[in-house]
Amino acid sequence: MELRSNVPSGPIEKRWEKHRFDLKLVNPANRRKSTVIVVGTGLAGGAASATLGELGYNVHAFYYQDSPRRAHSIAAQGGINASKNYQNDGDSIYRLFYDTVKGGDFRARESNVYRLAEVSGNIIDQCTAQGVPFAREYSGLLDNRSFGGAQVSRTFYARGQTGQQLLLGAYQALERQVDAGTVHTHGRHEMLDLIVIDGVARGIVTRDLVSGEIRPWLADCVVLASGGYGNVFYLSTNAKGCNVTATWRAHRLGAAFANPCYTQIHPTCIPVAGDYQSKLTLMSESLRNDGRVWVPRDPADATKDPRTIAEGNRDYYLETRYPAFGNLVPRDIASRAAKKVCDEGRGVGPAVDGERRGVYLDFADSIKRLGKSKIEERYGNLFEMYERIAGENPYETPMRIYPASHYTMGGLWVDYNLMTTIPGLFAAGEANFSDHGANRLGASALMQGLADGYFVLPSTLAGYLANFKGPKIADDHAEVRAAVGRVNERLKRLVSAPKPSRTPDSFHKELGRLVWDECGMGRNAEGLRKALARIPELREEFWNGVRVTGSGAELNQTLEKAGRVADFLELGELMCLDALHREESAGGHFREEHQTEDGEAKRDDENFTYVAAWEHTGDLSKPKLNKEPLTFEYVKPAQRSYK
Amino acid sequence: MSKKLNLTLHVWRQKGPTAAGDFVKYPASGIDDHMSFLEMLDVVNEGLIEKGEDPIAFDHDCREGICGSCGVMINGMAHGPRKATTACQLHMRVFHDGDEIWIEPWRAAAFPIIKDLIVDRGSLDRIVQSGGYVSVRTGAARDANNIAIPKDDADLAMDAAQCIGCGACVAACPNASASLFTSAKIGHLALLPQGGPEREDRVRRMVLQHDAELFGSCTQHGECEAACPKQISINFIARMNADFIKTAVTANADLKQREGQ
């Protein structure tokens, strides 16, 4: 496999402009003759579908939810970055670029990141024009806040529901195109396979989740905007339906999967309350602006009422270890520190499986300093949410938080055009690996999703389609029939395991726990080898013993789950293989063997400054590693320091 | 710490859109009161699958009260007894040991039942298709700070824009009206200058689509506001009605012609 990044040459600030000029265009009259399939209607997929529809392409958008408005982008709370410099605090495209490359721990492609920063301002203009009700100042102009440890205020937000408002903007633009007849939506449809003909992506196979009908859809190119794979951990902040199936099926047919071990664990989530727990809820990171994180010094105090623990017996571990950034250190660092104190037995809250996994986030000092009403104004909705879930009042007793899987930086390998290693197959948003390196900064996921969907894909797809000369394909083409056959065969196996005994969720929970323990916040060779030995066994147990009630010819949520778990059981192994091979620590990937004396991540730039793009070989345990070397012409790698 | 509850569920089971449905009784025992309502249903479903029975089908996704997927009638109340709370955010501590809980799908002609507790809410998407947007092409926008918008207007627009499209307002309304949903989108865009040029066209088209979908009319019961998990105010219905009535006089000839008047 050859990895050609297709990055344009020349000064970085001119590359995107030059590239857009070099890309061919599709004549307006010809666009409706080109059919584009888009899988997923989150920020990337929704924005791409709407924009491609406006341009006149014939777009088919697929999503597993009942409405395109429900994609998981909707749950993003904090905000979206853009280098507008409306605050005159020294922000610029270059600074956003610089911060993102550094924040990604020097494992992202510079040209892609620069382009992201370059279009960030257009995103805010576009969304505002759509009627997205961003927060405003009394002047009537847009408000900004500082987010995720950034030293400038470049985050635009809509209360605590920024993702919702941006997604509704894209959704409305998409529905406008449905009305115009350019976009055709297919809700409650799940992509279960890709159709590749003569090495080129030409369509997908879907299951209608209501009727169970399996059918192929053919097109001139396919865009996967199907999100990340954080649900491999079972417990995560992702929606319950989020899954890796679309990208994983593409991987099995030749799309390289890049950096699967780069996963982001968000530090401020509500801890697990019991073994019935179905998902974890994120509390906006903005809470760390006024809350102080601590645990008892003495493990014996873990069960005491926190208000009775004397100041001297509390360990404000972030403030002590990172005096410069304190409670505002980046996500990966805050998460690992929480794990460390809980590993020491100093965690708080109810014991689940014999362990207390939680740390306090205490607002008592801020309430004393600013008054309860100020805190209520800033965080009222979050406090209410916490009270609803945890059943405790955070104005009176400290919140309990613990890290949870939140975002995955890895994904399908793409070139500068967002095209995967299968020609005609594109990946956008969280589904690709492109812009965040080994760690994503807060408020950058929304930016990347919309950049890909509104601004990058519409140009690069045109460049592809203008040169595309594939033959017309009919539904009875051998490859189409083969893809449909694969799907049918797999579904049949899922509903007729030889010894059905366990539910899909019970397998998912076991896999999740294993991957969380061995390939979560801290990883080491011994643990990864243990997981690598166990996952193939678990996979075999699954195919032998999964219990799916009903049939494939009806609405069957158990079958949907089983199919998704089957793919997580394959991806989980690749994550561990990637984590084991990367003998360094970088961003969200922390190898315990590779840390500095004071416990910080230690990169090995000499040997690991590359993208690991894994190629499926037919043997899940032996994928082939391809490397795309990364070069840093503008931002020179240095150790990230937040002390 | 946590308490255990033993409950009796009466769940609406219906195989498909045209099949007859009925309540089926299920025991739910040993339910931890820290569970969410949907986690309680998960536990019941795991038990059903283990027995080889068809689990209860229900829509859900984010489970943090923002995607709008979930929604069932719980003891006759949309999303259950807790104010401003979706079913996924409702926790079992609001119930007591020994309670009987009746669980039904949203009931409205415009929301046909697909299976068990799942309904088809495509009618809400079609209302948005009929004008719930600003017609601005990607790339056609000017600088975001070119238009200043009074903070109060922007805040009020945001109050309306928070709608999650769950359909609770319809389920709670004795007329099965989607007026709160429709007016929230109309109100959001009408309060912003960006929504100005299409304001008349939008309100007419969306209201007519709302009626064509067989949603009922608003007769101001106020049940929608009480059930709304985002506490959207029925004042937006008044704003929508005012705009709609105004367009009966002012709407331009082209618009009326398109509507076939």
Side-chain angles (χ1 to χ4, degrees):
Chain A
M1 178 180 285
E2 197 191 352
L3 299 172
R4 291 180 51 190
S5 68
N6 292 316
V7 168
S9 55
I12 200 160
E13 61 279 5
K14 294 280 176 212
R15 285 180 194 168
W16 176 230
E17 193 187 330
K18 174 175 178 288
H19 188 67
R20 274 204 305 167
F21 183 76
D22 290 343
L23 286 167
K24 285 199 173 164
L25 300 174
V26 179
N27 179 312
N30 283 336
R31 289 183 201 148
R32 68 189 155 79
K33 296 178 200 154
S34 292
T35 300
V36 180
I37 283 174
V38 181
V39 180
T41 56
L43 290 181
S49 296
T51 305
L52 293 167
E54 282 164 20
L55 287 165
Y57 295 101
N58 180 35
V59 180
H60 285 264
F62 296 83
Y63 43 98
Y64 70 78
Q65 302 89 345
D66 68 323
S67 166
R69 67 181 290 154
R70 308 204 199 282
H72 193 56
S73 305
I74 200 138
Q77 298 169 357
I80 176 166
N81 287 332
S83 58
K84 282 285 198 184
N85 195 29
Y86 282 162
Q87 304 299 324
N88 193 31
D89 55 0
D91 202 8
S92 63
I93 291 172
Y94 197 88
R95 190 175 295 278
L96 176 55
F97 156 70
Y98 176 91
D99 287 354
T100 308
V101 171
K102 179 187 172 207
D105 223 353
F106 307 94
R107 291 293 175 265
R109 201 187 278 150
E110 275 190 335
S111 299
N112 289 47
V113 178
Y114 193 90
R115 174 175 66 190
L116 176 68
E118 192 178 336
V119 303
S120 65
N122 302 101
I123 296 171
I124 302 305
D125 299 341
Q126 184 62 32
C127 296
T128 303
Q130 289 171 343
V132 169
F134 283 122
R136 287 177 184 269
E137 300 167 346
Y138 283 103
S139 62
L141 301 178
L142 293 169
D143 191 20
N144 293 109
R145 59 184 173 199
S146 158
F147 199 79
Q151 286 168 309
V152 291
S153 292
R154 63 160 74 102
T155 304
F156 294 77
Y157 64 101
R159 290 193 193 147
Q161 292 121 291
T162 316
Q164 180 200 27
Q165 293 309 313
L166 296 175
L167 182 63
L168 292 181
Y171 157 73
Q172 288 163 203
L174 179 133
E175 294 294 4
R176 174 171 165 250
Q177 293 309 309
V178 172
D179 189 45
T182 58
V183 176
H184 311 273
T185 50
H186 306 278
R188 297 194 195 270
H189 276 67
E190 182 163 26
M191 167 181 163
L192 294 181
D193 220 327
L194 182 73
I195 297 169
V196 180
I197 294 173
D198 299 330
V200 177
R202 293 302 303 272
I204 62 173
V205 180
T206 61
R207 177 167 181 271
D208 178 334
L209 301 182
V210 175
S211 70
E213 186 197 12
I214 305 294
R215 66 158 282 189
W217 302 83
L218 298 167
D220 298 307
C221 68
V222 176
V223 177
L224 300 185
S226 51
Y229 50 89
N231 266 351
V232 66
F233 295 108
Y234 184 73
L235 287 178
S236 86
T237 66
N238 284 5
K240 290 294 286 176
C242 292
N243 66 82
V244 75
T245 293
T247 47
W248 191 255
R249 294 288 112 199
H251 170 62
R252 296 204 44 149
L253 290 174
F257 207 107
N259 301 333
C261 79
Y262 291 159
T263 54
Q264 181 164 77
I265 311 295
H266 195 289
T268 51
C269 300
I270 302 176
V272 176
D275 55 7
Y276 50 80
Q277 188 98 20
S278 64
K279 80 151 275 165
L280 295 170
T281 302
L282 182 134
M283 304 291 290
S284 170
E285 180 159 53
S286 61
L287 289 167
R288 287 198 281 146
N289 287 326
D290 286 303
R292 298 180 69 192
V293 177
W294 65 276
V295 289
R297 286 192 188 283
D298 181 357
D301 285 347
T303 51
K304 275 193 191 154
D305 180 340
R307 290 166 293 188
T308 65
I309 299 175
E311 199 62 26
N313 295 330
R314 301 176 175 191
D315 179 7
Y316 294 91
Y317 58 89
L318 288 177
E319 297 173 20
T320 339
R321 251 175 95 182
Y322 306 98
F325 279 70
N327 294 299
L328 293 173
V329 290
R331 292 174 174 180
D332 52 340
I333 292 171
S335 293
R336 277 200 297 277
K339 177 179 188 291
K340 186 164 173 280
V341 294
C342 293
D343 285 347
E344 291 163 8
R346 296 193 287 149
V348 296
V352 179
D353 291 339
E355 292 176 334
R356 292 179 204 285
R357 295 256 158 214
V359 300
Y360 291 124
L361 180 63
D362 197 337
F363 290 86
D365 283 354
S366 295
I367 291 173
K368 215 181 290 166
R369 184 165 42 97
L370 303 163
K372 189 184 163 196
S373 65
K374 192 78 198 166
I375 294 298
E376 198 172 345
E377 188 191 313
R378 286 187 190 166
Y379 310 111
N381 59 337
L382 294 169
F383 277 35
E384 222 178 277
M385 185 164 100
Y386 181 83
E387 195 270 330
R388 211 174 284 148
I389 294 171
E392 291 171 353
N393 181 348
Y395 293 104
E396 284 164 14
T397 182
M399 276 185 185
R400 285 175 293 107
I401 55 165
Y402 197 67
S405 154
H406 175 56
Y407 186 89
T408 53
M409 282 74 69
L412 291 184
W413 184 91
V414 289
D415 68 1
Y416 191 68
N417 295 314
L418 304 185
M419 192 157 86
T420 68
T421 51
I422 300 177
L425 181 71
F426 294 77
E430 194 180 348
N432 74 29
F433 88 107
S434 152
D435 295 352
H436 305 296
N439 177 51
R440 180 178 65 75
L441 292 177
S444 286
L446 303 184
M447 172 172 68
Q448 186 223 338
L450 290 179
D452 288 358
Y454 283 135
F455 297 107
V456 181
L457 277 177
S459 295
T460 59
L461 273 185
Y464 175 80
L465 291 170
N467 288 323
F468 178 70
K469 291 190 182 64
K472 193 140 182 64
I473 305 288
D475 279 5
D476 60 356
H477 188 285
E479 288 298 332
V480 178
R481 289 209 313 261
V484 172
R486 282 197 301 274
V487 169
N488 277 321
E489 205 260 334
R490 198 154 173 275
L491 290 169
K492 206 172 112 197
R493 276 182 72 198
L494 286 170
V495 294
S496 57
K499 289 185 186 134
S501 57
R502 286 175 64 183
T503 64
D505 266 353
S506 85
F507 283 104
H508 196 173
K509 282 181 189 175
E510 187 177 341
L511 172 74
R513 182 68 211 234
L514 182 66
V515 182
W516 177 248
D517 285 345
E518 310 303 347
C519 196
M521 279 184 279
R523 297 122 185 226
N524 60 56
E526 192 195 336
L528 289 165
R529 287 206 182 92
K530 197 174 112 194
L532 285 168
R534 177 68 188 131
I535 294 172
E537 288 171 10
L538 190 60
R539 209 159 49 220
E540 204 179 311
E541 288 165 33
F542 172 87
W543 285 105
N544 204 32
V546 68
R547 175 155 214 163
V548 176
T549 52
S551 76
E554 59 184 329
L555 189 151
N556 188 338
Q557 293 175 315
T558 316
L559 177 62
E560 293 166 27
K561 269 187 206 165
R564 295 167 190 165
V565 175
D567 286 327
F568 282 130
L569 280 163
E570 298 185 359
L571 163 89
E573 187 173 7
L574 187 66
M575 268 174 77
C576 294
L577 281 168
D578 187 39
L580 182 64
H581 114 279
R582 190 166 281 277
E583 291 281 355
E584 65 161 352
S585 294
H589 170 64
F590 188 75
R591 278 289 297 270
E592 285 155 5
E593 302 94 323
H594 302 288
Q595 49 183 309
T596 60
E597 272 173 24
D598 43 3
E600 302 302 334
K602 196 166 145 196
R603 285 196 324 264
D604 177 354
D605 288 341
E606 199 175 317
N607 295 305
F608 288 95
T609 308
Y610 63 78
V611 177
W614 297 90
E615 183 180 345
H616 183 62
T617 56
D619 179 347
L620 288 164
S621 304
K622 294 197 176 64
K624 181 169 176 270
L625 174 63
N626 300 280
K627 298 177 183 178
E628 180 201 340
L630 291 168
T631 48
F632 293 88
E633 296 168 71
Y634 292 87
V635 188
K636 290 296 161 210
Q639 196 202 331
R640 287 163 73 214
S641 172
Y642 296 93
K643 296 228 165 188
Chain B
M1 294 260 98
S2 71
K3 276 190 307 200
K4 299 286 178 199
L5 308 173
N6 292 310
L7 308 161
T8 306
L9 310 183
H10 302 270
V11 184
W12 186 262
R13 301 302 306 264
Q14 183 172 335
K15 277 210 164 306
T18 53
D22 205 353
F23 285 103
V24 178
K25 195 163 144 181
Y26 298 100
S29 40
I31 299 298
D32 190 298
D33 73 337
H34 283 309
M35 279 183 197
S36 70
F37 192 81
L38 301 188
E39 283 169 348
M40 182 274 293
L41 287 180
D42 289 343
V43 169
V44 172
N45 274 345
E46 287 287 284
L48 290 175
I49 298 170
E50 276 161 16
K51 283 195 285 180
E53 291 178 32
D54 196 21
I56 302 157
F58 61 93
D59 263 331
H60 65 99
D61 206 17
C62 78
R63 297 203 176 189
E64 43 190 273
I66 193 76
C67 75
S69 295
C70 72
V72 287
M73 297 302 277
I74 301 168
N75 290 339
M77 287 169 281
H79 290 300
R82 199 173 158 160
K83 200 175 164 176
T85 304
T86 53
C88 64
Q89 292 286 285
L90 181 70
H91 280 65
M92 295 309 290
R93 56 184 89 88
V94 303
F95 296 99
H96 305 285
D97 192 36
D99 277 359
E100 300 211 4
I101 306 176
W102 295 78
I103 309 170
E104 296 171 75
W106 293 159
R107 304 225 186 245
F111 290 165
I113 292 179
I114 294 175
K115 184 180 179 181
D116 296 342
L117 305 173
I118 298 181
V119 299
D120 179 353
R121 288 170 290 197
S123 45
L124 299 182
D125 284 336
R126 289 189 293 274
I127 291 176
V128 174
Q129 279 158 29
S130 63
Y133 44 74
V134 173
S135 299
V136 56
R137 268 192 329 281
T138 303
R142 49 181 168 166
D143 187 89
N145 260 353
N146 259 354
I147 307 177
I149 301 175
K151 185 177 186 323
D152 289 346
D153 290 354
D155 285 348
L156 193 56
M158 180 65 201
D159 287 346
Q162 293 189 78
C163 170
I164 59 174
C166 63
C169 50
V170 177
C173 176
N175 305 339
S177 172
S179 288
L180 191 64
F181 169 84
T182 310
S183 70
K185 188 44 62 197
I186 290 171
H188 157 212
L189 296 174
L191 278 158
L192 300 173
Q194 289 85 357
E198 295 169 287
R199 185 168 173 174
E200 289 190 356
D201 195 6
R202 178 181 307 116
V203 69
R204 289 202 72 79
R205 288 184 65 204
M206 288 181 75
V207 169
L208 293 177
Q209 186 65 37
H210 168 276
D211 294 353
E213 295 289 349
L214 303 180
F215 288 109
S217 297
C218 172
T219 48
Q220 301 188 21
H221 283 78
E223 295 281 347
C224 54
E225 181 184 294
C228 176
K230 297 295 155 187
Q231 297 287 281
I232 292 171
S233 163
I234 52 170
N235 287 345
F236 287 107
I237 300 182
R239 284 170 174 269
M240 170 178 77
N241 288 341
D243 264 14
F244 186 76
I245 292 164
K246 189 170 155 231
T247 62
V249 183
T250 59
N252 65 47
D254 282 357
L255 181 55
K256 285 185 182 165
Q257 201 176 6
R258 261 187 284 158
E259 289 167 9
Q261 289 177 6

